[in-house]
Amino acid sequence: MAELKDLSTLEVTPYKMFIGGEWVDAVDGATLEVITPIDRNVTIATTPRAQQADADRAVEAARAAFPAWAALPFAERSKALLKCADALEAASEELAQLTALDTGNAIRTQARPEAGTLVALFRYFAGVAGEVKGVTLPSDDGTLQYTRREPLGVVAGILPWNSPLLIAAFKTPAALAAGNTIVLKAAEDAPLTILKMAEICAEHLPAGVLNVVTGYGAEIGDALVNHPGVDKLSFTGSSQIGKMVGGKATERMAHVSLELGGKSPCIVFPDSCTDEVVDQVMLATRFARQSQSCTTGSRVFLHEDIAEEFLAKMVERTRGMTVGDPRDEASDIGCIINAKQYDRVQGFIDEALAQDGVKVEYDGREDLQVGEPGFYHAPIILSQVDPSWRVAREEVFGPLLSVITWKDVDEVVEMANDSHYGLAAFVFSKNLDDALRTAHRIDSGWVQVNQGGGQIPGQSYGGMKDSGVGRESSLEGMLEGFTQIKQINVKLG
Ligand code: NAD
């Protein structure tokens, strides 16, 4: 294993924002510190703390670039995005290393795959740029009736900290392929990879087509949400903030899509107590991402006939996972993003452990080899959880798993759907009839059958209920999320 750099020797890098093809400070010069989750005492960078004036500048740059970018033949936009993809691929190891430092996501299990998805989605949307097209309607000889799909204009993409590159990949190439320009607002806790992505793409995109601003949600985020020059808000983050963003956007009639939180059920049928299924359920727990994933299968429903044996296998697998420095190839699990999130997870644990009847199947905190100054947290598996408890209802966004047993299918479907979220779900059964019937009955925007992970470029991604509105990452996500239809009726002769 290569020696990991001593973080205390790192120099604080002063980053700038990318607006109109230039690297700039905030108008008032204010900055904020970026602390690595690997060591709460180490500031790795400063970024501008953008405000309203910076939003004005970024939106103006994106507006100015919009007409020429939208007017390009789609093949030219596609070519530019393919060049970005090649450049991002060439820099993917650098992006992955920066992801580990910036987000705490482990290099081998998370950071590299995220950088890979970024490249794949730039290529995917470059490939489907020509699908931004209308239809010709049936008409008589004297008329021509057709629709055009037109870009929306300036998109503001507001990003969370958990997987910045992945989420940027859902928005950026789709918006650009359809002819929009974009202002990305990086999360204050993990902005560095987004700035790096802009630097890599800058050479291949006209100035102002892709802009990145940094700072706090309540300041620059809110300024973008309310900005009359922003035509579309593409928000990914918590349901609480998402609802507010959705309300404000709708009030001023801006387009909006919301990718929000989740509390995904993972249902295992009695025919599926195999090692292969246990491996897939382990993927669904997203322990390898500290369960800081909106699609985490955080409620595992095991059929009572197999619960004991299945749980024993899960505990064994979890015990075998290494929590450690996210830059280390040996680490399966990295660290939680910050102190606030760490304390939030602790709050859920304390509350769950105080419940009558809860059983602790595994508490990795006893085996944890690493601790302060990083925000390391080992997984905890609880069984005999009552579905009404908060730990089984609210998004923990940390490695705390609730296991619930079930007897019959109607009962488990009811429990799975008894949630205000509806983002992802997992169903495991050898009997595809059972699996698919169950998948169809679950209120979720994405159901995986007999797999715990595996997102492909072009698949439709989005939630139901409090998990959001709109789809991303797919062709229809690009068409519905980043274009609008114009109907043209022509009288000939
Ligand atoms: P968050 O809602 O706190 O912040 C998300 C982004 O919104 C950040 O950039 C933040 O600065 C900005 N923001 C905060 N207040 C704002 C305001 N008033 N106006 C405008 N912008 C504002 O979420 P987070 O803690 O960064 O991310 C974790 C959440 O994101 C979890 O709930 C997770 O489930 C969700 N998430 C969802 C998806 C998905 O695709 N559905 C993907 C990843 C994360």
Side-chain angles (χ1 to χ4, degrees), residues 130-387:
E131 294 301 316
V132 180
K133 60 194 181 193
V135 294
T136 309
L137 292 121
S139 53
D140 57 36
D141 279 351
T143 58
L144 172 63
Q145 334 265 6
Y146 65 98
T147 61
R148 282 163 55 82
R149 269 200 184 269
E150 299 181 346
L152 300 173
V154 174
V155 174
I158 300 184
L159 306 175
W161 46 259
N162 62 332
S163 305
L165 287 181
L166 190 70
I167 308 302
F170 285 3
K171 304 182 190 303
T172 313
L176 300 191
N180 305 278
T181 54
I182 195 164
V183 179
L184 289 175
K185 188 259 175 233
E188 51 271 44
D189 284 301
L192 304 187
T193 54
I194 299 304
L195 291 164
K196 189 75 201 166
M197 181 189 88
E199 183 190 321
I200 295 164
C201 294
E203 206 184 310
H204 309 291
L205 296 171
V209 167
L210 167 62
N211 309 275
V212 178
V213 293
T214 54
Y216 292 116
E219 297 175 355
I220 181 67
D222 193 52
L224 289 171
V225 170
N226 293 315
H227 205 293
V230 171
D231 301 291
K232 155 87 195 231
L233 283 145
S234 174
F235 175 89
T236 301
S238 60
S239 296
Q240 184 199 356
I241 304 285
K243 283 180 185 176
M244 196 167 72
V245 167
K248 288 184 179 179
T250 309
E251 210 167 297
R252 66 174 185 85
M253 299 303 274
H255 297 258
V256 64
S257 56
L258 304 166
E259 298 286 350
L260 310 175
K263 190 74 190 173
S264 305
C266 180
I267 300 173
V268 185
F269 276 70
D271 63 5
S272 290
C273 192
T274 64
D275 286 346
E276 291 77 11
V277 173
V278 174
D279 288 340
Q280 293 300 319
V281 171
M282 290 306 297
L283 281 180
T285 65
R286 307 281 190 262
F287 280 164
R289 209 150 119 196
Q290 303 79 252
S291 303
Q292 293 180 148
S293 162
C294 46
T295 58
T296 296
S298 51
R299 295 181 291 154
V300 173
F301 293 96
L302 298 177
H303 190 273
E304 61 176 12
D305 290 353
I306 57 159
E308 200 179 325
E309 190 184 339
F310 200 96
L311 253 171
K313 287 173 190 272
M314 283 185 74
V315 168
E316 191 192 314
R317 301 283 202 289
T318 311
R319 205 185 290 282
M321 295 179 90
T322 303
V323 182
D325 192 314
R327 299 169 299 160
D328 190 338
E329 298 289 337
S331 301
D332 298 299
I333 304 175
C335 26
I336 284 180
I337 188 74
N338 58 23
K340 184 174 158 214
Q341 194 61 21
Y342 190 92
D343 292 346
R344 188 169 173 273
V345 175
Q346 289 310 313
F348 271 104
I349 293 170
D350 295 345
E351 187 181 320
L353 293 183
Q355 296 286 355
D356 269 351
V358 70
K359 186 168 172 216
V360 180
E361 297 287 346
Y362 177 68
D363 186 343
R365 291 177 300 179
E366 295 152 9
D367 303 332
L368 194 61
Q369 301 292 316
V370 280
E372 286 195 8
F375 298 111
Y376 294 101
H377 203 302
I380 297 181
I381 302 177
L382 305 177
S383 69
Q384 298 177 12
V385 170
D386 189 295

Side-chain angles (χ1 to χ4, degrees), residues 463-475:
M464 297 178 178
K465 304 197 252 183
D466 279 0
S467 292
V469 285
R471 311 292 296 187
E472 284 189 344
S473 172
S474 57
L475 176 58

Side-chain angles (χ1 to χ4, degrees), residues 262-265 299 392-394 414-423 443 464-467:
K263 190 74 190 173
S264 305
R299 295 181 291 154
R393 302 196 68 80
E394 297 307 324
E414 194 181 319
M415 285 194 288
N417 285 339
D418 181 21
S419 170
H420 59 102
Y421 290 115
L423 188 59
D443 303 335
M464 297 178 178
K465 304 197 252 183
D466 279 0
S467 292

Side-chain angles (χ1 to χ4, degrees), residues 57-109:
R57 200 162 50 153
V59 173
E60 210 172 284
R63 277 242 87 81
F66 171 63
W69 180 250
L72 277 181
F74 79 84
E76 291 300 316
R77 288 198 299 271
S78 177
K79 215 189 307 176
L81 291 174
L82 286 173
K83 283 186 185 159
C84 290
D86 289 346
L88 290 166
E89 188 168 45
S92 64
E93 184 57 23
E94 193 184 351
L95 282 166
Q97 296 290 346
L98 195 55
T99 296
L101 189 66
D102 197 23
T103 66
N105 290 347
I107 184 80
R108 175 175 52 79
T109 57

